[in-house]
Amino acid sequence: GQNIDQPTEMTATEGAIVQINCTYQTSGFNGLFWYQQHAGEAPTFLSYNVLDGLEEKGRFSSFLSRSKGYSYLLLKELQMKDSASYLCAVTHMDSNYQLIWGAGTKLIIKP
Amino acid sequence: GAGVSQSPSNKVTEKGKDVELRCDPISGHTALYWYRQSLGQGLEFLIYFQGNSAPDKSGLPSDRFSAERTGGSVSTLTIQRTQQEDSAVYLCASSNIGLSHEQYFGPGTRLTVT
């Protein structure tokens, strides 16, 4: 079956670095998305990984290991506005449009 | 508009009443999705529209839920005889087709069934 696991909640300090992990078990895996969702708002796109390795985009980086079924989102130089939920979602060959979504990780940034 | 819009933003209804939720996708996006998100939970897929193809309704939780998309643009999600467990945020998203195409979400409709 399809399954995605993320920690429910994490806390970090302003200015620090935090890594949010996502593990998945899904048949026909194709790629993995990370979305950010502030409380009461809609999710917004952060990254999409298809190949193994690290992709950097400003303060945010996303890593994928297809063989391990593992991804992480790395946030550097944390700011208070980074307090949000971070959703991991995978695409799979069995469906050319559906995403399988994790429950999200609520990140709390403290001063 | 530039983004996906949804209306109403909030809806409070009594148990047993019918409700209609509206989604206006980004112009030119052929794919449209409806999701449901309960407090502290991930996104639950409800239904998918792609162009003129028959919609994928596999995520609809019961026959009280239905959706249509007129003219390949605006979509309406209808919930009949609402139940308290229907209370959630209903999110609409649109995208271009393809596995790598990100989905753009609307602000959602918060439905509360009393």
Side-chain angles (χ1 to χ4, degrees):
Chain A
Q2 324 279 5
N3 192 46
I4 298 179
D5 291 310
Q6 304 179 238
T8 303
E9 187 174 298
M10 299 181 69
T11 302
T13 304
E14 189 177 16
I17 299 173
V18 71
Q19 177 175 310
I20 302 174
N21 297 326
C22 172
T23 59
Y24 60 88
Q25 300 89 38
T26 181
S27 59
F29 172 84
N30 186 75
L32 188 144
F33 284 93
W34 282 98
Y35 280 78
Q36 180 190 58
Q37 186 177 25
H38 285 100
E41 298 182 11
T44 55
F45 170 82
L46 288 177
S47 65
Y48 180 63
N49 292 66
V50 176
L51 302 176
D52 286 354
L54 185 69
E55 292 198 7
E56 299 186 63
K57 199 183 287 186
R59 294 189 299 114
F60 292 11
S61 302
S62 57
F63 172 84
L64 177 67
S65 169
R66 299 175 67 100
S67 61
K68 295 181 179 178
Y70 167 68
S71 173
Y72 66 74
L73 182 68
L74 190 71
L75 291 73
K76 302 177 184 176
E77 301 169 17
L78 287 170
Q79 302 175 9
M80 298 303 291
K81 67 179 181 179
D82 297 331
S83 292
S85 287
Y86 292 85
L87 308 176
C88 170
V90 302
T91 61
H92 55 102
M93 299 293 189
D94 296 340
S95 168
N96 64 359
Y97 55 83
Q98 270 206 46
L99 299 183
I100 309 299
W101 294 84
T105 298
K106 182 179 180 181
L107 178 63
I108 300 169
I109 309 298
K110 296 186 175 181
Chain B
V4 179
S5 61
Q6 292 185 245
S7 61
S9 55
N10 280 285
K11 177 71 176 179
V12 180
T13 190
E14 293 180 352
K15 178 181 173 182
K17 300 284 189 181
D18 297 352
V19 295
E20 282 191 356
L21 312 180
R22 176 189 167 104
C23 172
D24 202 338
I26 291 174
S27 177
H29 279 184
T30 57
L32 187 148
Y33 307 76
W34 282 99
Y35 293 95
R36 179 168 69 175
Q37 188 174 32
S38 300
L39 189 63
Q41 302 297 310
L43 298 179
E44 177 189 3
F45 167 77
L46 297 178
I47 189 169
Y48 164 78
F49 295 91
Q50 170 54 43
N52 295 321
S53 302
D56 178 350
K57 305 178 181 180
S58 61
L60 295 178
S62 78
D63 59 8
R64 296 186 295 104
F65 288 71
S66 63
E68 62 179 22
R69 188 179 184 191
T70 54
S73 181
V74 172
S75 177
T76 302
L77 177 69
T78 301
I79 309 173
Q80 296 178 310
R81 304 181 304 281
T82 52
Q83 304 294 314
Q84 287 186 331
E85 60 262 29
D86 299 334
S87 296
V89 175
Y90 289 80
L91 290 163
C92 174
S94 71
S95 77
N96 287 313
I97 59 172
L99 287 168
S100 63
H101 284 100
E102 63 189 270
Q103 295 181 20
Y104 294 81
F105 285 83
T109 294
R110 181 175 298 279
L111 176 66
T112 304
V113 182
T114 61

